[in-house]
Amino acid sequence: MSQTLAAVNGSLGSIGYGLAAIGPGVGVGIIFGNGTQALARQPEAAGLIRANQILGFVFCEALALIGLVMPFVYGV
């Protein structure tokens, strides 16, 4: 005789995406925090710093979007 201690209804993919969104969120915070600090230290390099910030932001957000799509791909 087996007993069910807890039943999980719904999609576990949404929980997985919630956990996967932590990494890009921390990454974006680090990118813009350090970018702001760099701009304060060297304002003459604003163009280069801003370009690198945007590039890092795009890569972090790409990871978040991949995390959003994967539960649908694997059908968890």
Side-chain angles (χ1 to χ4, degrees):
M1 176 179 193
S2 79
Q3 287 182 316
T4 303
L5 295 176
V8 177
N9 293 328
S11 175
L12 291 176
S14 59
I15 295 171
Y17 175 67
L19 293 174
I22 293 171
V26 170
V28 167
I30 290 171
I31 288 168
F32 284 109
N34 289 338
T36 303
Q37 195 174 49
L39 283 170
R41 290 175 187 254
Q42 281 189 313
E44 66 274 4
L48 180 63
I49 293 169
R50 192 170 295 121
N52 287 332
Q53 271 185 321
I54 292 172
L55 188 62
F57 174 74
V58 168
F59 287 143
C60 282
E61 286 302 311
L63 290 175
L65 290 175
I66 289 170
L68 176 66
V69 171
M70 283 303 122
F72 296 110
V73 170
Y74 292 117
V76 176

